[in-house]
Amino acid sequence: MDAFSPTALWSALTALEDGSGERRLCVALSGGLDSTVLLEALCRLRERLPADGLRGIHVHHGLHADADDWAAHCQALCGRLGVPLQVVRVDARPAPGESPEAKARGVRYAALAEALAPGEVLLTAHHADDQLETALIQLLRGAGVAGLAAMPTSARFGPGLHLRPLLGFTRAELAAWAAAEGLSGWIRDPANEELRYARNHLRSEVLPALRAHWPGAAAAVGRSARHCAEASRLLDELAALDAANCVTGNAVRVSALRGLSPARQRNLLRWQARRLGLAVPDERRLATLLAQALEAAPDAQPQVEWAEVVALRHGDRLWLAPAAALPAPAGDLDWPNPRQPLELGTGLGTVALVPSEHGGLGEAGFKAGPWRVVARRGGERLELPGRPGTRALKKLLQEAGLPPWIRGRLPLLEIGGKLAAAGDRWVDAAFWAPPGKAAWRLEWTGSRLPGHELFVVG
């Protein structure tokens, strides 16, 4: 690795992002050695940046008694350097059973993404030793190539970009430059010394012995991480090719999935989860998911869950979705003004009346009131226009091929206590107006239910 210097930093930056010299840069400043060196070196490069093209941001986690002092230290540092600083306060207290590291990391990155301006570049001070630690932790967790790629040097982030320009330098090289420049007084977080945390234990107890035998471990593992990153990109490209034949909207076609080799099946489902912003299933859950999706009877409704994600199969389609996309059915709701949309509740969207040229709810219904949107209770029946007798709603829903999670949440319209319409599918003959008459249909939109866009007209 080359010795660290502002010139070497600029070379790393421009290699990562061709427009770095034209973009505004925002340094995630903890006040520790690494981020202090990054900010100080960038200040030596200010003439290469656009006017007002450099600022800092400090996330105040509120977890340590000295957190206010750390924020004040960063304010003083930025004041000395003439760099604007934004301090963002977050609540990083973990819930019972939640990892403190994961909680702090999650809220920190969420705050940084929210604070980033459109097109702005976030710079974090992760270095080669951090990459070594991350790759080893991922290896010990049994990660695949995506995990072993460790931290990317460049990634889309919020409204801008996230770069890690120090991954080619060790912490020792950063410290050597700081000493040569006469820098001192950076923050030392005592949490970094607590060996109960996996990363700290690895850094303190394992890596010194590793480096004693392999002094170039950070550089070598960094190369391996880059190889894994390239392999991961190739797997993503393969998944995208498979998706062209296997994925319709947000659903995977099971019959097409069966035509892939087992490795490509697993690769496609992992890719689909990442594409949708969902947690990737572990090896065991993925095997269960594939077995149930591919082997269950055609009329079965297998469901697999992991990490706040649910996988649902209906017929030839398999959906991966947030568990929150299956909210409880809405309760009974009064609809005092049917000419205005009615909110059904979180995740369930809205219902509204829209004019219909093909028949629908007639004008008389507005006078019959009151209007209510109710949930299914079982036993509902409808008399369909032009057809004698009544039909069970349950039978109609099954014949229409609606998935059970949509059937159970289909909004039913009651007028004057009588079932008038079931979603936008059926209108009872007593409330029907034929084509050519003034008519409306019930439109159900905005639902997050998996498959809503395929099975519900709106």
Side-chain angles (χ1 to χ4, degrees):
M1 295 181 183
D2 296 331
F4 177 79
S5 68
T7 301
L9 171 61
W10 186 254
S11 296
L13 264 177
T14 52
L16 293 178
E17 220 305 284
D18 290 340
S20 292
E22 301 172 3
R23 291 177 181 262
R24 297 181 68 247
L25 305 180
C26 177
V27 175
L29 182 66
S30 68
L33 166 66
D34 311 331
S35 62
T36 298
V37 165
L38 177 58
L39 183 63
E40 290 268 7
L42 286 169
C43 286
R44 272 74 162 170
L45 299 167
R46 213 175 319 211
E47 72 281 356
R48 305 189 190 188
L49 300 175
D52 300 321
L54 178 63
R55 72 181 182 105
I57 183 168
H58 174 77
V59 179
H60 185 305
H61 295 86
L63 295 176
H64 193 274
D66 295 331
D68 288 339
D69 292 338
W70 296 344
H73 169 87
C74 291
Q75 289 278 19
L77 172 62
C78 288
R80 176 175 63 80
L81 295 173
V83 175
L85 178 70
Q86 178 183 3
V87 176
V88 179
R89 293 177 178 267
V90 298
D91 182 0
R93 291 171 296 181
E98 188 175 16
S99 163
E101 294 172 291
K103 175 68 173 183
R105 182 171 56 253
V107 298
R108 179 168 62 252
Y109 277 106
L112 291 170
E114 185 176 352
L116 206 63
E120 193 174 24
V121 176
L122 176 72
L123 303 181
T124 54
H126 298 105
H127 47 69
D129 297 292
D130 293 323
Q131 188 76 312
L132 171 60
E133 294 167 7
T134 300
L136 289 176
I137 287 172
Q138 291 290 346
L139 180 64
L140 293 170
R141 289 174 177 168
V145 291
L148 294 177
M151 295 181 287
T153 54
S154 174
R156 292 291 164 192
F157 184 73
L161 193 65
H162 178 192
L163 302 183
R164 295 181 172 93
L166 301 184
L167 286 184
F169 307 99
T170 64
R171 191 175 194 276
E173 289 169 328
L174 302 181
W177 183 81
E181 293 292 312
L183 306 180
S184 62
W186 44 79
I187 293 168
R188 290 174 172 81
D189 186 350
N192 292 333
E193 310 301 323
E194 295 187 27
L195 299 186
R196 60 193 175 97
Y197 297 132
R199 185 178 290 270
N200 294 345
H201 180 82
L202 184 67
R203 181 183 303 144
S204 175
E205 303 296 313
V206 177
L207 291 185
L210 188 70
R211 290 193 185 94
H213 289 274
W214 293 280
V221 172
R223 285 195 300 274
S224 293
R226 290 193 294 275
H227 295 324
C228 287
E230 184 173 292
S232 181
R233 287 192 294 270
L234 290 173
L235 288 174
D236 283 347
E237 290 179 12
L238 176 62
L241 291 173
D242 288 337
N245 185 51
C246 296
V247 177
T248 301
N250 286 337
V252 178
R253 292 192 299 112
V254 175
S255 57
L257 187 65
R258 286 195 182 99
L260 301 178
S261 69
R264 287 171 73 168
Q265 291 171 355
R266 293 189 293 270
N267 184 54
L268 178 60
L269 292 184
R270 291 190 187 104
W271 175 88
Q272 176 76 343
R274 289 194 297 270
R275 183 178 77 89
L276 298 174
L278 304 173
V280 176
D282 61 27
E283 188 175 18
R284 181 177 63 84
R285 290 298 174 90
L286 186 54
T288 300
L289 171 58
L290 279 167
Q292 295 198 16
L294 301 180
E295 298 171 13
D299 59 348
Q301 307 290 341
Q303 179 171 324
V304 179
E305 298 181 17
W306 69 91
E308 300 183 355
V309 179
V310 61
L312 303 156
R313 200 202 81 180
H314 175 71
D316 192 42
R317 287 185 169 88
L318 172 68
W319 285 269
L320 308 184
L326 292 177
D332 295 351
L333 300 169
D334 291 332
W335 197 358
N337 184 1
R339 299 188 189 276
Q340 295 294 325
L342 177 69
E343 295 281 346
L344 299 178
T346 302
L348 291 172
T350 62
V351 289
L353 292 181
V354 296
S356 171
E357 298 178 355
H358 306 290
L361 291 161
E363 186 75 43
F366 290 99
K367 303 173 183 177
W371 288 46
R372 302 182 77 212
V373 174
V374 302
R376 287 184 61 200
R377 300 179 180 87
E380 296 90 353
R381 301 186 71 84
L382 285 165
E383 181 181 349
L384 301 183
R387 299 174 66 176
T390 61
R391 300 285 306 280
L393 178 60
K394 177 180 179 180
K395 185 70 172 176
L396 291 172
L397 292 170
Q398 290 173 342
E399 291 174 352
L402 267 68
W405 59 88
I406 292 182
R407 295 179 213 163
R409 295 166 177 83
L410 187 74
L412 307 182
L413 173 62
E414 285 186 354
I415 299 178
K418 298 179 180 179
L419 181 61
D424 56 6
R425 294 243 165 190
W426 302 282
V427 174
D428 189 86
F431 299 90
W432 173 257
K437 299 286 188 178
W440 290 262
R441 66 180 178 87
L442 196 65
E443 183 181 63
W444 180 24
T445 59
S447 160
R448 293 189 299 174
L449 294 172
H452 182 274
E453 72 285 356
L454 294 176
F455 294 99
V456 176
V457 179

